[in-house]
Amino acid sequence: MYNIELKNEVHKMFVELSKKANEIAENCSTEDMAINEISNIVSSKVSAESGGYIVDMYANFVAKIKEDDYFKDPKKLNDFYRLNLREKLNEKYNFDIKLSDVYKEGIKFKDINKLYVAACSAAGTLAIGGILNFAISDTIGIPISIIIAGAVIVGISSYLICSKKNKQNFYQAINKYLKDMENEILNWLVKIEGYLNSQVRTIYKS
């Protein structure tokens, strides 16, 4: 299991997002405005933090590798570094383009939606977790910030559209969406850990 501290970081982020989203819902004059603001804050925060989770996971993984007696042999440790796992993760999950830069460059909602649909078509799923998991085995080539933005826009709208007329149901739908997304991010991190372990097993077999 990945570092428990990382799991707690993910949970803390979604608790904070839930609090902020409920504040937005309380203060916005219309539910449509609330949906837009919640979509922006959730997509920006999750996109920004996801890259950090990958960095933290890799750092923790390297630390465990160095503690393994098998890799006390410098040759074996060099074999590990030659796997270039950090670079491979960078290729699979493009974190270079920040969501703010996407908007600065003039990529509008319809363009984000087109790229998100392209990612969905490649992965065969609309769920953000499914797309991120798919990218482990097959590079999608679409910046992670755009995938997350598209998933949040579609996801929040579908969760909240039927609850717009009832304030309490609206809050419950927000919290349910964020809890489901938290679970998808955690499942994704488990997949990342499994990918790293599978790559290292190739060294044991050599």
Side-chain angles (χ1 to χ4, degrees):
M1 184 63 178
Y2 51 82
N3 194 304
I4 191 66
E5 292 180 4
L6 183 56
K7 181 178 181 180
N8 290 337
E9 286 179 19
V10 174
H11 179 66
K12 180 180 178 181
M13 176 185 70
F14 278 98
V15 168
E16 292 173 352
L17 282 174
S18 180
K19 180 180 178 181
K20 183 64 177 177
N22 279 279
E23 289 175 355
I24 291 171
E26 180 66 29
N27 296 321
C28 280
S29 56
T30 69
E31 282 75 15
D32 287 336
M33 186 182 297
I35 290 174
N36 288 335
E37 288 195 26
I38 292 169
S39 295
N40 287 335
I41 191 172
V42 172
S43 57
S44 296
K45 184 66 173 179
V46 175
S47 178
E49 295 298 328
S50 293
Y53 296 151
I54 293 292
V55 171
D56 291 345
M57 280 201 71
Y58 181 73
N60 291 330
F61 191 76
V62 171
K64 290 181 180 180
I65 286 292
K66 290 181 176 180
E67 293 174 358
D68 191 325
D69 289 340
Y70 184 82
F71 290 100
K72 298 296 183 183
D73 179 347
K75 180 181 179 302
K76 296 299 183 184
L77 187 59
N78 284 335
D79 288 343
F80 167 74
Y81 284 118
R82 276 196 290 270
L83 290 173
N84 294 321
L85 294 179
R86 185 71 186 93
E87 289 75 12
K88 289 179 180 178
L89 288 175
N90 282 337
E91 290 175 4
K92 294 175 180 298
Y93 301 106
N94 180 0
F95 292 101
D96 292 338
I97 300 179
K98 304 297 184 185
L99 193 58
S100 58
D101 294 331
V102 169
Y103 289 118
K104 286 177 185 176
E105 291 171 12
I107 299 179
K108 307 301 182 184
F109 168 78
K110 64 178 182 179
D111 301 306
I112 290 176
N113 194 52
K114 285 180 182 177
L115 290 170
Y116 172 65
V117 169
C120 293
S121 297
T125 178
L126 287 172
I128 182 175
I131 298 172
L132 294 176
N133 290 340
F134 174 79
I136 296 175
S137 58
D138 195 343
T139 301
I140 291 178
I142 296 174
I144 195 73
S145 55
I146 292 178
I147 293 175
I148 290 174
V152 170
I153 290 167
V154 173
I156 286 184
S157 296
S158 63
Y159 270 68
L160 301 186
I161 195 68
C162 296
S163 306
K164 290 167 61 175
K165 301 302 181 183
N166 184 294
K167 206 75 169 179
Q168 187 58 41
N169 289 345
F170 194 71
Y171 293 146
Q172 291 175 355
I174 292 171
N175 295 329
K176 184 179 188 316
Y177 172 76
L178 291 173
K179 185 60 182 177
D180 288 348
M181 191 175 188
E182 177 182 349
N183 289 333
E184 288 191 27
I185 294 295
L186 291 175
N187 289 336
W188 169 54
L189 294 178
V190 171
K191 293 288 187 180
I192 292 291
E193 182 182 46
Y195 169 77
L196 294 173
N197 285 327
S198 70
Q199 295 295 298
V200 169
R201 281 196 292 272
T202 63
I203 298 176
Y204 288 112
K205 293 177 181 178
S206 61

